[in-house]
Amino acid sequence: MRSLTAEQRDYAERAESVAAEFEEKAYTWGGDVPWENLHRLAEADLYCPSISEKYGGQGLSDVTAMLLTEAVGRVCPDTGWFTYMQSSVAPRAIDLFGSEAVKDEFLPAVTAGESFVSIAISEPEAGSDVGSMTTEVTEEDGQLVCNGEKTWVGGVPFGDAAVTWVRFPEGLGSVVVPFDDPGVEIEEVYTNMAGYAQTHFTIDDVVIPETHVLTRGEGAFKEQLVSLNWERLGSSILTVAWAEAALEQALAYAGEREQFGQRLDGFQGIEWKLAEMYRQVETAASLVYMSAAGAQGHERAPPRLQTSTAKLHCSQVAEDVVSEAVQIVGARAYQQGHPLEHLYRFARSRRIAAGTDEMQLNTIAGALKDDGLPVVSER
């Protein structure tokens, strides 16, 4: 039993109750947006829990946002991805760093389950190497003008804007770029393994109002980098939810399927697989919530060492557990349209998205070199 406050436990139970309504259509979205599920969560005062109440969220902790992602993602992987993206990524950055004007412009529609805001970081020649970004904002005739290009951006076909990482003359920063600006041009749309579109778009002389600037300069941008620790934990709990979904399906199948005169879960080889899958899922979930314990809000975000460790571990656990579930179910799970086939394609993405395995290893090694091994009181 996880150490939750009474409020968090009540929230998680309500989230589980509403998520149960999504089971019938789970694994059928095929790249479409589960808008009806997002509307339902918003109606139940569950959606975007960590966004400020003033803009339609619940003003609750980032830990609560992870509880929602886990409860929903375990039932409907697609809806889980949306809850994670809109609670912990781009809209969260707008809420933390944006002007009142940009918050009023974008957040109410997001929290109502009617809009989507993307995150745009990668460029054709700058993926993990953020320092090599060339998309820039310059000052021309008293205006801020943005030029550049971004790629692998999710949500563009159904989104309204992107929190876009850019280079200012004084250093890195971030701005909000609406997709309907005439200077934004869609160049290519790719379909990833999970069936969702990722987009390459260019930004040509787009005027950025001062109200659309989120962070600018080394100090402000460093705050945004710190806030990414919550995004890493959000991604981590999303992969845990998918692993839990796969384990549940493997347990159900092994308890029903008979071979050689007995149920599959009666074979020690299968028993050990299931036990090992549970060990991986439970340790992964515990690592996420332990990393988040005691850290509330942007000012007390969890350290990079813990969050990168959780991101790395949980992404690998999800892929391993889903793969073992496919092995247990066998040929049925290998067919297109099977829930486990769907989960397998989803799980593989998280070892790349929100920071590759290799970048997490670099971060972990850097934190250890800088700060050493955490003492007992800091763990």
Side-chain angles (χ1 to χ4, degrees):
M1 190 70 83
R2 290 167 194 150
S3 298
L4 302 177
T5 66
E7 181 183 45
Q8 288 170 337
R9 191 166 301 283
D10 175 71
Y11 180 94
E13 290 173 353
R14 289 193 297 116
E16 289 169 343
S17 177
V18 172
E21 300 172 18
F22 306 156
E23 184 174 6
E24 183 178 353
K25 289 188 177 181
Y27 304 99
T28 68
W29 295 102
D32 292 334
V33 184
W35 289 119
E36 62 189 70
N37 292 353
L38 306 186
H39 295 159
R40 178 70 182 96
L41 289 169
E43 290 169 358
D45 292 326
L46 293 167
Y47 198 46
C48 299
S50 56
I51 301 296
S52 301
E53 288 184 275
K54 181 177 179 180
Y55 307 105
Q58 284 78 57
L60 301 173
S61 70
D62 295 88
V63 174
T64 308
M66 291 192 292
L67 292 171
L68 175 66
T69 296
E70 183 181 10
V72 172
R74 187 168 173 171
V75 176
C76 180
D78 298 80
T79 307
W81 182 80
F82 279 89
T83 62
Y84 151 68
M85 288 294 292
Q86 299 303 270
S87 291
S88 302
V89 192
R92 186 76 172 110
I94 292 175
D95 193 32
L96 284 172
F97 308 114
S99 64
E100 290 299 314
V102 78
K103 292 178 186 180
D104 284 332
E105 183 177 355
F106 293 104
L107 292 183
V110 168
T111 57
E114 298 172 351
S115 176
F116 185 92
V117 178
S118 303
I119 183 77
I121 301 175
S122 294
E123 299 179 2
E125 302 302 324
S128 298
D129 184 8
V130 174
S132 295
M133 288 191 313
T134 59
T135 298
E136 62 178 357
V137 174
T138 56
E139 296 190 29
E140 301 177 16
D141 300 324
Q143 293 182 315
L144 297 176
V145 180
C146 184
N147 285 279
E149 57 185 325
K150 294 294 180 179
T151 194
W152 310 121
V153 183
V156 178
F158 47 79
D160 291 320
V163 169
T164 305
W165 287 22
V166 298
R167 184 177 297 281
F168 285 93
E170 64 269 38
L172 297 176
S174 57
V175 298
V176 178
V177 177
F179 294 135
D180 62 2
D181 191 286
V184 176
E185 188 73 27
I186 304 301
E187 299 294 335
E188 293 181 89
V189 178
Y190 318 96
T191 301
N192 64 26
M193 287 173 63
Y196 282 94
Q198 292 181 287
T199 301
H200 174 195
F201 65 86
T202 54
I203 306 167
D204 185 17
D205 288 336
V206 171
V207 175
I208 306 295
E210 287 284 355
T211 56
H212 281 200
V213 175
L214 300 184
T215 58
R216 180 176 182 175
E218 183 178 351
F221 190 69
K222 185 177 180 180
E223 291 186 25
Q224 186 158 41
L225 291 177
V226 171
S227 75
L228 288 182
N229 291 337
W230 283 116
E231 179 187 348
R232 293 189 187 102
L233 288 186
S235 176
S236 299
I237 203 62
L238 176 66
T239 55
V240 167
W242 292 346
E244 289 172 334
L247 177 54
E248 285 182 329
Q249 292 179 45
L251 281 167
Y253 182 83
E256 297 171 358
R257 176 70 166 169
E258 289 193 4
Q259 290 286 281
F260 304 102
Q262 65 174 331
R263 293 184 345 190
L264 283 187
D265 61 7
F267 291 95
Q268 189 175 65
I270 300 298
E271 288 180 322
W272 284 8
K273 280 184 183 292
L274 294 170
E276 174 63 15
M277 291 159 71
Y278 175 75
R279 180 191 66 80
Q280 289 182 283
V281 167
E282 190 58 27
T283 54
S286 297
L287 180 59
V288 174
Y289 286 107
M290 181 180 69
S291 299
Q296 299 291 328
H298 171 56
E299 295 79 10
R300 296 182 62 192
R304 58 178 176 153
L305 176 61
Q306 281 82 359
T307 56
S308 287
T309 301
K311 169 65 171 64
L312 176 68
H313 180 69
C314 294
S315 298
Q316 294 178 348
V317 162
E319 187 177 4
D320 290 346
V321 169
V322 175
S323 180
E324 284 289 61
V326 170
Q327 191 69 22
I328 290 171
V329 176
R332 291 174 177 80
Y334 192 63
Q335 302 307 302
Q336 288 187 356
H338 192 281
L340 288 173
E341 178 263 347
H342 187 104
L343 283 168
Y344 194 90
R345 290 185 285 111
F346 259 43
R348 187 61 184 86
S349 71
R350 303 319 298 180
R351 293 185 59 189
I352 301 170
T356 65
D357 286 4
E358 292 74 18
M359 289 304 298
Q360 304 310 323
L361 286 167
N362 285 346
T363 299
I364 293 166
L368 289 172
K369 287 189 288 186
D370 292 343
D371 306 320
L373 191 67
V375 298
V376 173
S377 60
E378 293 177 345
R379 301 178 80 175

